[in-house]
């Protein structure tokens, strides 16, 4: 990639979290498994807005589903915001990033929910990495 691509990458989304990782593939698997576990217990970690998750090839998408949203509304139609975790291999090494996604022009950024989600992810990530390498759920 050109140097400008690398410098502007945090602006696409925008990026709200980044961590160097030893292996992008294992990081993607970790975040996918973490997301499926986290969504079931998100209210315990300070989350007030329900979320849905969908695995992607490089990680997962987590989207907010506010109370009262019609159940017929598909995840891809949710536009109240969310975060996407992306594990990638670059020339500088491997990394895991989180960026904002799916915010409509009228949606209010859910900073408290994002913060609670990222803080819990960081705690779980640190615990997994501190226990003799990877701990897949």
């Amino acid at each position: 990639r050109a140097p400008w691509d690398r410098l502007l990458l945090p602006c696409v989304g925008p990026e709200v979290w980044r961590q160097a990782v030893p292996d992008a593939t294992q990081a993607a698997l970790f975040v996918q498994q973490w997301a499926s576990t986290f969504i079931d217990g998100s209210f315990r970690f300070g989350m007030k807005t329900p979320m849905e998750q969908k695995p992607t090839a490089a990680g997962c998408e987590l989207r907010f589903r506010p109370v009262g949203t019609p159940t017929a509304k598909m995840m891809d139609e949710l536009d109240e915001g969310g975060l996407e975790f992306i594990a990638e291999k670059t020339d500088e090494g491997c990394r895991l990033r989180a960026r904002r996604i799916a915010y409509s022009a009228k949606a209010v950024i859910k900073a408290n929910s994002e913060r609670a989600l990222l803080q819990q992810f960081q705690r779980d990530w640190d615990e997994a990495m501190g226990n003799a390498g990877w701990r897949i759920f």
Side-chain angles (χ1 to χ4, degrees):
R1 285 189 169 174
W4 284 108
D5 289 347
R6 187 175 25 142
L7 290 172
L8 294 174
L9 187 61
C11 299
V12 177
E15 184 176 290
V16 294
W17 182 86
R18 181 185 287 206
Q19 175 78 44
V21 297
D23 183 279
T25 303
Q26 287 189 4
L29 290 172
F30 177 88
V31 76
Q32 289 168 353
Q33 292 179 0
W34 175 86
S36 65
T37 302
F38 177 81
I39 294 302
D40 292 338
S42 62
F43 290 108
R44 293 178 296 180
F45 305 114
M47 299 284 295
K48 294 180 181 172
T49 306
M51 298 191 83
E52 286 195 14
Q53 64 94 17
K54 175 176 76 171
T56 64
C60 72
E61 288 185 11
L62 298 164
R63 292 192 185 196
F64 297 110
R65 179 181 279 280
V67 175
T69 302
T71 55
K73 197 169 196 178
M74 303 299 289
M75 184 174 161
D76 291 338
E77 298 173 309
L78 298 175
D79 61 359
E80 293 294 317
L83 293 174
E84 179 181 23
F85 285 88
I86 306 162
E88 53 198 2
K89 185 174 183 175
T90 69
D91 294 339
E92 292 88 27
C94 296
R95 65 183 173 212
L96 181 60
R97 302 184 303 121
R99 67 179 183 167
R100 285 186 177 138
I101 59 167
Y103 275 99
S104 71
K106 295 180 180 181
V108 175
I109 292 176
K110 293 167 182 56
N112 291 335
S113 291
E114 287 180 357
R115 186 173 22 264
L117 186 145
L118 289 169
Q119 286 174 345
Q120 186 61 45
F121 179 80
Q122 186 70 59
R123 282 191 293 270
D124 293 342
W125 175 263
D126 291 344
E127 180 182 333
M129 292 305 294
N131 289 336
W134 296 96
R135 182 186 67 153
I136 304 297
F137 294 111

